[in-house]
Amino acid sequence: MNMFYYEPKTFQEACDLLNKYQDDAKLIAGGQSLMILLRQKVVVPEHLINLKNIKEGAYIKEEGGELKIGALTTHRQIEKSPLVREKLPAFAEVFSGIGSVQVRNWGTIGGNLAHSDPAGDLAPILMVLGARVRVISKSNSNEMPLESFITGYLETKLRASEMLQEIIIPLSKAKSGMAYEKESVRAGDMAMASAAAFIEIGSKGITRAKVVVGAVGEMPIRLENLEKELQGQGSKGELHIDPKFDQSIIRMDPYVSKEYKYEISKVKLRNVIQTAFERAKQA
Ligand SMILES: Cc1cc2nc3c(=O)[nH]c(=O)nc-3n(C[C@H](O)[C@H](O)[C@H](O)COP(=O)(O)OP(=O)(O)OC[C@H]3O[C@@H](n4cnc5c(N)ncnc54)[C@H](O)[C@@H]3O)c2cc1C
């Protein structure tokens, strides 16, 4: 079968192509996840739309108390951004743990989220930060919380005619801290288990906590019971963290047992909550 190839220069041109070819089209950004699927013929699109020439798609800016990142911004651009390092240093840090410099030079934040690999590093940390995504099509543009954008294993709310344009991260005005940790075979590998926490504190301890466990289930999962237990803690300095969660969410992993995933997740959860809390105190 012939494959037709396109290099749109604007989001509008890309959306027009998606609208025309729908399920017969596939977007490619950095290719770091898609090339493997194309090579293995798991995905065989009739129309391949390369987004790399959409210059308006790669940017990082602060606007109205939020950080806005274009979907085509590479991992490396975010890792090295002085603005991200100043506003969200722990978020910038996460990128240095993604693959190698070569992978980070190609891979994009939009591609990472649209691929929706449960072992990916970006969704958990962006979820605790309360990030939203802007989804566009030929004639529409909508924002939605990242939490509802991700729907399952390699699944999102994106329809055939839609694409990701922007990731929006609210910047907290409170004393706050965040942390992310993953367990992987080697540094830079995909996670076997991961955890992210974001904590805001006031004079009476923790006022808001968001906690996500990643890479154990079909998608990153918020632990709302644990978040509630953390509320009000820490006014006397100590936290009591009991990071247990429903083990039935843990998926099979060819590399490690479900028991190992559970135990290591609990260690990571304890670590990130404690670190986020310490960082909030120092903020
Ligand atoms: C060796 C290696 C190690 C890696 N290690 C890690 C790691 O430790 N942690 C981690 O999180 N990731 C890791 N990755 C994945 C990497 O982060 C990828 O870059 C990312 O998952 C996909 O981004 P991409 O731009 O390359 O997307 P692509 O591979 O081009 O596309 C991926 C999917 O997203 C869709 N897509 C791309 N852009 C858009 C858009 N703007 N709107 C809608 N759909 C879009 C494509 O159609 C495709 O379905 C690794 C990859 C490799 C090859």
Side-chain angles (χ1 to χ4, degrees), residues 1 6 15 20 28 30 39 45 52 60 65 67 84 120-121 130 151 158 160 162 166 173 193 206 212 216 224 232 266:
M1 189 180 77
Y6 309 85
C15 287
K20 190 166 175 194
I28 184 164
R39 244 183 257 133
K52 274 290 172 181
I60 303 168
L67 209 57
V84 181
D121 292 316
T151 52
L158 280 177
E162 293 177 333
E166 186 175 70
K173 291 192 186 71
I206 295 179
V212 166
V216 299
E224 291 179 43
K266 289 197 294 181

Side-chain angles (χ1 to χ4, degrees), residues 11 18 25-37 43 51-52 71-73 75 94 97-100 103-104 106-117 119-123 149 158 162-165 180 182 184 187-191:
F11 277 121
L18 279 179
K26 193 77 190 154
L27 299 174
I28 184 164
Q32 296 304 291
S33 300
L34 190 66
M35 282 307 290
I36 299 164
L37 303 177
V43 177
L51 304 176
K52 274 290 172 181
L72 296 172
T73 314
H75 303 325
V94 174
I98 295 182
S100 56
V103 169
R104 302 202 287 276
W106 281 98
T108 64
I109 185 169
N112 189 291
L113 297 176
H115 189 55
S116 190
D117 187 328
D121 292 316
L122 301 185
F149 172 77
L158 280 177
E162 293 177 333
M163 64 184 294
L164 271 181
Q165 184 183 40
Y180 174 79
K182 71 171 163 180
S184 52
D189 278 355
M190 299 295 277

Side-chain angles (χ1 to χ4, degrees), residues 60-113:
I60 303 168
K61 61 185 179 194
E62 189 185 358
E63 214 173 68
E66 302 187 305
L67 209 57
K68 298 187 172 174
I69 304 180
L72 296 172
T73 314
T74 64
H75 303 325
R76 189 71 170 158
Q77 285 169 326
I78 303 170
E79 177 190 357
K80 292 282 171 197
S81 157
L83 181 61
V84 181
R85 286 180 171 198
E86 184 204 328
K87 299 290 173 187
L88 297 170
F91 176 59
E93 228 176 70
V94 174
F95 288 85
S96 60
I98 295 182
S100 56
V101 172
Q102 288 89 334
V103 169
R104 302 202 287 276
N105 273 331
W106 281 98
T108 64
I109 185 169
N112 189 291
L113 297 176

Side-chain angles (χ1 to χ4, degrees), residues 84-245:
V84 181
R85 286 180 171 198
E86 184 204 328
K87 299 290 173 187
L88 297 170
F91 176 59
E93 228 176 70
V94 174
F95 288 85
S96 60
I98 295 182
S100 56
V101 172
Q102 288 89 334
V103 169
R104 302 202 287 276
N105 273 331
W106 281 98
T108 64
I109 185 169
N112 189 291
L113 297 176
H115 189 55
S116 190
D117 187 328
D121 292 316
L122 301 185
I125 187 80
L126 285 167
M127 274 167 67
V128 297
L129 286 169
R132 310 186 304 281
V133 292
R134 176 160 293 279
V135 172
I136 53 168
S137 62
K138 185 179 163 68
S139 46
N140 273 318
S141 172
N142 291 314
E143 265 184 32
M144 66 179 85
L146 177 62
E147 231 179 295
S148 49
F149 172 77
I150 295 171
T151 52
Y153 184 83
L154 307 185
E155 279 176 17
T156 69
K157 283 235 171 88
L158 280 177
R159 298 198 197 102
S161 59
E162 293 177 333
M163 64 184 294
L164 271 181
Q165 184 183 40
E166 186 175 70
I167 291 79
I168 305 145
I169 311 169
L171 295 168
S172 170
K173 291 192 186 71
K175 266 172 87 72
S176 63
M178 75 181 116
Y180 174 79
E181 280 192 16
K182 71 171 163 180
E183 183 71 11
S184 52
V185 178
R186 293 162 305 186
D189 278 355
M190 299 295 277
M192 294 186 284
S194 67
F198 173 81
I199 281 175
E200 285 182 353
I201 57 169
S203 56
K204 291 183 180 149
I206 295 179
T207 52
R208 199 158 77 99
K210 276 186 137 189
V211 183
V212 166
V213 64
V216 299
E218 299 285 303
M219 55 197 250
I221 292 158
R222 249 184 90 188
L223 302 179
E224 291 179 43
N225 286 343
L226 181 55
E227 292 174 0
K228 278 189 205 123
E229 283 168 27
L230 290 167
Q231 286 272 348
Q233 284 200 41
S235 57
K236 296 195 177 76
E238 289 271 301
L239 292 184
H240 300 284
I241 309 163
D242 183 11
K244 56 179 184 295
F245 59 89

